[in-house]
Amino acid sequence: MLAPGNMEEIAAELRKYEVDVAAIQEIRWKEQGIINKKEYTLLYSGNEKQGQGETGFIVSKKLKDNIIDFRAKMLKKKKKKLYENLEKEIEGIPKEDTTIVLGDFNAQIGQDDYIKQVAGKHTVHNVTNDNGTRLCNLAISTNMVISSIKFQHPYHHKVTWSAPDNKTFTQIDYILITRRKQSSVKDVRTFRGACADTDHFLVTATIKQKVKRCRRDAKKRNGALKN
């Protein structure tokens, strides 16, 4: 759990790793709000009572795409509803927009053949767990891809979470993007040196997109010059 007092420390780490937009989990702040700082903006969402439930917010300096921060609940009876709500949220975004979904999915993705259509082969797991199946099915139904395991990296640049014994590691945090925009993702990897007082490692994606130039209507331009 992160406290408001160390947000400056987290912001400094994000600047160090040149992160423009970050999703942060388990803040457990009360209700919802926006905090504007000189170099970044915090958008957070929590429950009515402070310290209860899992919350997340986005630390944003440059926010140009539709970004959804998600955390999978451990309770099985709530998983179905969570994923249904997430799917509706994605489907409600205009098709021409770029959508990015990222966060702690508590998902382990294996080497199953059907997964290859939405994910890469560079996973650290052999078997897909229940959350992994749900995540892959979500990607299939919403026409997205799981970019996190499409890039070849050493083991320590792929695992995203460390157990309290500091000997057990797993890959449970992922980044998804609209399928037609998957070529915009140039790399996804983990940085274990980022300090944020958490057992999760910093997972980063390098995304490059072209910005279309808007052309003014020639007649309107000429009319404006005459006036």
Side-chain angles (χ1 to χ4, degrees):
M1 186 173 77
L2 301 177
N6 63 1
M7 286 314 306
E8 291 298 332
E9 178 183 352
I10 294 174
E13 288 295 296
L14 296 178
R15 290 194 296 270
K16 175 182 175 181
Y17 289 92
E18 298 182 339
V19 175
D20 293 325
V21 180
I24 303 179
Q25 310 279 323
E26 299 183 55
I27 304 301
R28 300 186 183 183
W29 283 4
K30 185 179 179 181
E31 299 177 344
Q32 301 177 350
I34 298 176
I35 301 175
N36 290 306
K37 295 290 185 178
K38 183 178 180 180
E39 296 183 349
Y40 58 89
T41 300
L42 279 61
L43 300 90
Y44 63 92
S45 178
N47 289 335
E48 294 182 358
K49 295 183 179 180
Q50 186 173 357
Q52 292 189 1
E54 305 298 340
T55 69
F57 61 81
I58 297 174
V59 180
S60 172
K61 186 174 71 172
K62 301 173 183 177
L63 185 57
K64 297 180 179 180
D65 298 315
N66 298 290
I67 299 180
I68 300 174
D69 181 8
F70 180 80
R71 187 182 191 282
K73 300 290 186 181
M74 295 302 292
L75 295 178
K76 189 172 182 179
K77 62 181 181 180
K78 292 186 178 181
K79 288 181 185 178
K80 183 178 179 181
K81 188 63 176 180
L82 274 172
Y83 274 92
E84 287 177 353
N85 291 340
L86 178 57
E87 184 172 351
K88 289 179 182 178
E89 191 72 25
I90 296 172
E91 291 178 345
I93 296 173
K95 300 299 181 182
E96 63 272 16
D97 288 2
T98 300
T99 301
I100 299 171
V101 181
L102 69 170
D104 175 8
F105 293 87
N106 280 302
Q108 295 181 1
I109 297 177
Q111 302 286 351
D112 311 74
D113 288 337
Y114 86 96
I115 289 173
K116 294 178 181 178
Q117 61 180 302
V118 293
K121 61 181 180 179
H122 302 293
T123 174
V124 302
H125 302 291
N126 293 319
V127 179
T128 304
N129 66 5
D130 179 66
N131 279 344
T133 299
R134 291 175 186 273
L135 180 59
C136 290
N137 288 337
L138 173 77
I140 293 171
S141 63
T142 57
N143 201 27
M144 302 187 77
V145 295
I146 304 170
S147 300
S148 307
I149 51 181
K150 284 185 171 291
F151 300 93
Q152 185 174 6
H153 285 294
Y155 177 83
H156 59 278
H157 288 166
K158 293 190 291 187
V159 293
T160 68
W161 180 80
S162 171
D165 61 7
N166 290 321
K167 295 180 180 180
T168 304
F169 302 96
T170 187
Q171 188 179 38
I172 57 176
D173 303 87
Y174 298 93
I175 299 174
L176 290 74
I177 192 169
T178 307
R179 177 176 291 277
R180 62 183 178 81
K181 290 290 187 177
Q182 62 178 313
S183 61
S184 299
V185 183
K186 304 304 180 183
D187 191 26
V188 178
R189 60 156 292 183
T190 297
F191 288 94
R192 297 175 63 174
C195 180
D197 190 25
T198 175
D199 50 7
H200 288 259
F201 303 129
L202 176 64
V203 182
T204 66
T206 302
I207 301 175
K208 295 184 178 180
Q209 292 183 292
K210 294 181 179 179
V211 179
K212 293 183 178 180
R213 180 179 295 177
C214 297
R215 296 182 178 180
R216 295 181 179 179
D217 185 274
K219 292 183 179 179
K220 290 183 179 180
R221 183 171 65 249
N222 294 336
L225 291 174
K226 289 179 181 179
N227 291 332

